[in-house]
Amino acid sequence: MSERWRYQIKTGGFWGIFMTLFNVLFELKEKPFLTQISNPNLYLRAFFYLVTGIFLLGYFNWKQLEKRKNSNKN
């Protein structure tokens, strides 16, 4: 696996997990934890956050990292 994909999975995966946990904790007053865990909607949102984080956020972060590396070389 290339360095780019490892970076994207690491940064985007962290963001996706963080957003999922943040949403669960944010909705804790409205819905109990076990109700949220048993709802398939939670897993759909988690999948969406992970995919968005890996492919969009990870990609743009990788591009910024490459720009910084290239500007430091010159």
Side-chain angles (χ1 to χ4, degrees):
M1 185 179 294
S2 71
E3 181 183 344
R4 175 183 156 212
W5 280 107
R6 281 184 287 193
Y7 181 82
Q8 283 185 229
I9 290 171
K10 185 170 53 170
T11 58
F14 175 76
W15 182 82
I17 291 170
F18 175 77
M19 288 301 294
T20 302
L21 290 175
F22 180 76
N23 281 332
V24 167
L25 293 175
F26 189 73
E27 293 179 359
L28 205 53
K29 289 185 178 182
E30 299 171 7
K31 297 177 187 175
F33 180 73
L34 292 176
T35 305
Q36 290 184 45
I37 295 294
S38 64
N39 189 357
N41 190 24
L42 172 72
Y43 300 106
L44 185 63
R45 280 188 291 159
F47 176 75
F48 175 73
Y49 284 132
L50 284 171
V51 168
T52 303
I54 290 170
F55 288 104
L56 291 179
L57 185 70
Y59 176 75
F60 289 117
N61 284 344
W62 174 258
K63 285 294 189 183
Q64 290 296 328
L65 182 68
E66 288 296 307
K67 281 183 184 178
R68 278 183 277 167
K69 283 181 182 178
N70 289 337
S71 67
N72 288 338
K73 287 180 182 178
N74 296 331

